[in-house]
Amino acid sequence: MLYNEPSQPASQPASQPASQPASQPASQPATAPAGLPVDPRFRGWLTFPFRHTVLVVARTETALSRLLDVVSLIQHDRRIQIVFTTDPDNPAVFRAGLDEHLAALNAPTIPWAQATSTRFSLAIAASENDRLDLLDAPILLVSHGLGHQKYYPDSDVVAGMNPARLLRGNAVVPQVIALSHAEQRADLARICPPAEPRAVVIGDPTLDRLLAGRFRAEGYRAVLDATGKTLIVLSSTWGPESLLANDPTLPERVVAALPVDEFRVALLLHSGVWSAHGPWQVRAWLSRAVELGLHLVEPAGNWQAVLAAAHCLISDEGSLALYAAALDRPILLVERTGAKTVIGSPLARLAERAPRLHQHHELRTQIEAAIGQYQPGTWEPVMARAVAHPGECAEVLRPLLYDLIGLPEPADVAEFGPVPVPSRAPHRIASMFVGVAEDDDILVLQRFPAGPSAPLLHQHIVADVDLASYRALAAASILFIDGARSEFSARANALLAQWPRAELVGMRIDEATVWIADRNGVSSVSATQPPAGFDPALLVSVVFVRRRPSPVKLRAGGRVTEVVRRPVEFGLVDG
């Protein structure tokens, strides 16, 4: 058979006129009929002769992310068609954004009514709160985080192990309940005894994808503009115990406290934050931090790559803290205790051991101490009780998937591919405070996205003309623009006339060069051997202090390069 026959006749697609035979559409539909891959009326339109269908039941964006890791082990098999579904009549509290994520994936999606009337070789879910008992398929239930670390809000029920959802009458709904560690089998036996025989310890697929991508950490940092810098990642789960609830200003204050050329800061938010408040509102609340240089990872963004690239994580008691511990990263937890954290769980053990970030103490000192004092292997005792088979999950999970489907496993090696390097994130800061000092004939630059905690020598403001506020532009000594070279001279002259306090206008030419205009003309300034991740905007501040650097050495972010200045022929600028 090329497909799985529906157990009940599917309804007529809306795009199919009632007078037309279902198997002979008059013309190709403008959009694919809902559920086309498993609708027997469209068998003649299919190209790949798949023999089995696997249903992925997505409840939230977090659950979908986990499920995509699982199905990555079988998605290339042309014997299998994978389709996705959601249950809008039984929505999760944080369902918002799920349909958009599926649409962005261009994933084949079928209606819940068709999903419940079709026989599948396997259904995979990441929440026992879905109405899985209505499906005609063996069901694999995986956790939607690293193990089972949280209670449901206002209850003592462990999320993922709710007996009221795992059982229908006396029957256990999932065919297999996948756990990350053997200790969770004992928890399941205590919480829902009939379900314990269905448990299988598989490890954690998301962790193994993170481990598989460790060699790409520098590539991840490059697209985050963090090459040669220390990447600090903040992570906030949802709810009143989260990082943002604990201190809504923390992202802004961390970015403001750290020098731009030494640190990069990113923020990862649980999809529940985006879903509950709406992306527009979340972006608005965090806009000031973004203006200062925060990289806000968007909904459905590649959070795995950001976490894998991190040098240090500042977090609440969420799963990402455990993932960072598994990656052997320094961790700072916010002060508030996680009342929803399961007592005695690996996350609770991590919370007992991890240093705390104190809101009212100097942030940079605490962050640098956490990194400098960290001993590799600190979290091994915690993770030994959190995840079994680290790095070996694929070898356990893929045979299980194929056994449930009823197919022989392929002969190739079972492994998770690394998280791909995402597209480059644009990184422009609206305005910066810059200070310059001299150290053995080397100019030492420090740049902060907001006012520094102590006055800097030769302090001045650099403002991006396209991003900065009126107040910043009016106070800036240096204006930075982006645009065509042919327009630079005229535009620079106009800006110097418009903003009389400004002394220089700069424009990036390449990774090592800027053009700089003052009221006397235009010159080209270059770094002769710029280090990786060098920001040529630094060169304008060198000229601000040394109007004729020929040559001069510059140190920023601990890295030294030589700077030279040459005149630019006006024909090159204007033409």
Side-chain angles (χ1 to χ4, degrees), residues 378-424:
T378 294
W379 313 123
E380 285 181 1
V382 172
M383 298 314 299
R385 300 178 66 177
V387 184
H389 317 300
E392 301 174 6
C393 176
E395 299 173 24
V396 178
L397 179 55
R398 194 176 77 167
L400 174 62
L401 291 169
Y402 276 100
D403 182 60
L404 290 168
I405 294 169
L407 277 174
E409 187 182 6
D412 61 332
V413 175
E415 60 182 352
F416 287 104
V419 176
V421 176
S423 57
R424 188 172 185 85

Side-chain angles (χ1 to χ4, degrees), residues 28 37 59 102 115-116 147 188 285 392 424 460 475 496 516 535 567:
Q28 176 72 26
R59 185 165 180 82
L102 285 167
T116 56
L188 185 62
W285 280 331
E392 301 174 6
R424 188 172 185 85
H460 58 280
L496 290 170
I516 298 176
D535 181 2

Side-chain angles (χ1 to χ4, degrees), residues 17-101:
S19 59
Q20 293 287 342
S23 60
Q24 299 290 331
S27 62
Q28 176 72 26
T31 58
L36 186 152
V38 295
D39 192 324
R41 295 170 299 173
F42 292 94
R43 68 179 71 182
W45 293 77
L46 301 177
T47 302
F48 290 94
F50 61 87
R51 292 159 46 194
H52 295 267
T53 48
V54 170
L55 180 69
V56 177
V57 184
R59 185 165 180 82
T60 63
E61 286 192 90
T62 300
L64 178 58
S65 176
R66 170 56 58 103
L67 293 167
L68 290 171
D69 288 338
V70 173
V71 300
S72 71
L73 293 174
I74 59 173
Q75 66 187 24
H76 304 100
D77 196 323
R78 287 185 289 272
R79 299 172 296 175
I80 301 170
Q81 169 75 54
I82 298 171
V83 295
F84 295 74
T85 194
T86 66
D87 184 0
D89 294 328
N90 177 43
V93 173
F94 296 142
R95 187 184 190 281
L98 177 60
D99 293 334
E100 291 80 359
H101 193 170

Side-chain angles (χ1 to χ4, degrees), residues 146 149 180-181 204 207 319-329 331 346-347 349-350 353 374 377-390:
L146 205 168
Q149 314 292 335
S180 64
H181 193 276
D204 188 86
L207 173 59
S319 280
L320 264 64
L322 280 176
Y323 283 122
L327 293 171
D328 202 19
R329 299 290 193 266
I331 298 169
L347 186 56
R349 298 185 189 109
L350 178 66
R353 293 165 170 79
Y374 181 71
T378 294
W379 313 123
E380 285 181 1
V382 172
M383 298 314 299
R385 300 178 66 177
V387 184
H389 317 300

Side-chain angles (χ1 to χ4, degrees), residues 45-321:
W45 293 77
L46 301 177
T47 302
F48 290 94
F50 61 87
R51 292 159 46 194
H52 295 267
T53 48
V54 170
L55 180 69
V56 177
V57 184
R59 185 165 180 82
T60 63
E61 286 192 90
T62 300
L64 178 58
S65 176
R66 170 56 58 103
L67 293 167
L68 290 171
D69 288 338
V70 173
V71 300
S72 71
L73 293 174
I74 59 173
Q75 66 187 24
H76 304 100
D77 196 323
R78 287 185 289 272
R79 299 172 296 175
I80 301 170
Q81 169 75 54
I82 298 171
V83 295
F84 295 74
T85 194
T86 66
D87 184 0
D89 294 328
N90 177 43
V93 173
F94 296 142
R95 187 184 190 281
L98 177 60
D99 293 334
E100 291 80 359
H101 193 170
L102 285 167
L105 292 172
N106 290 317
T109 305
I110 65 172
W112 180 252
Q114 186 174 20
T116 56
S117 62
T118 302
R119 171 65 186 174
F120 294 95
S121 298
L122 174 64
I124 309 174
S127 173
E128 83 277 30
N129 294 318
D130 288 306
R131 296 186 291 176
L132 303 177
D133 59 307
L134 301 182
L135 300 174
D136 185 7
I139 294 167
L140 170 64
L141 179 65
V142 299
S143 66
H144 68 273
L146 205 168
H148 301 272
Q149 314 292 335
K150 294 287 185 177
Y151 298 112
Y152 282 115
D154 304 317
S155 79
D156 58 358
V157 177
V158 177
M161 293 186 177
N162 187 352
R165 304 297 171 82
L166 292 175
L167 305 176
R168 288 296 179 268
N170 295 321
V172 180
V173 175
Q175 181 73 20
V176 174
I177 301 172
L179 304 175
S180 64
H181 193 276
E183 283 193 3
Q184 295 162 23
R185 183 191 291 274
D187 294 335
L188 185 62
R190 173 175 50 82
I191 296 168
C192 186
E196 188 273 334
R198 302 284 181 91
V200 175
V201 177
I202 66 166
D204 188 86
T206 300
L207 173 59
D208 279 20
R209 290 204 73 193
L210 288 168
L211 295 174
R214 284 179 295 184
F215 72 96
R216 286 184 173 170
E218 286 305 321
Y220 299 148
R221 290 171 188 145
V223 301
L224 294 167
D225 192 38
T227 299
K229 302 177 184 178
T230 300
L231 178 62
I232 307 300
V233 175
L234 284 73
S235 169
S236 181
T237 189
W238 56 273
E241 298 169 13
S242 66
L243 178 145
L244 286 180
N246 188 56
D247 185 354
T249 68
L250 185 61
E252 181 178 331
R253 293 193 297 111
V254 169
V255 176
L258 301 176
V260 170
D261 298 297
E262 298 177 43
F263 294 89
R264 180 80 158 107
V265 183
L267 173 61
L268 295 169
L269 300 179
H270 189 283
S271 64
V273 180
W274 296 101
S275 179
H277 298 285
W280 176 87
Q281 183 64 78
V282 171
R283 294 187 193 105
W285 280 331
L286 294 167
S287 59
R288 175 57 178 160
V290 172
E291 289 172 3
L292 294 176
L294 175 75
H295 175 60
L296 175 61
V297 181
E298 288 289 316
N302 199 331
W303 67 266
Q304 297 97 327
V306 177
L307 185 63
H311 292 99
C312 177
L313 181 76
I314 300 174
S315 180
D316 48 35
E317 293 180 24
S319 280
L320 264 64

Side-chain angles (χ1 to χ4, degrees), residues 3 18 31 39 89 132 236 245 315 326 334 364 379 425 458 469 473 482 517 521 526 536 562 568:
Y3 51 84
T31 58
D39 192 324
D89 294 328
L132 303 177
S236 181
S315 180
V334 294
R364 180 178 177 180
W379 313 123
H458 302 289
S469 66
L473 289 167
D482 187 29
S526 298
E562 191 174 70
V568 173

Side-chain angles (χ1 to χ4, degrees), residues 472-498:
L473 289 167
S477 300
I478 297 172
L479 304 177
F480 210 80
I481 64 174
D482 187 29
R485 299 186 191 187
S486 60
E487 300 173 356
F488 177 70
S489 181
R491 191 177 177 197
N493 287 333
L495 287 168
L496 290 170
Q498 180 183 3

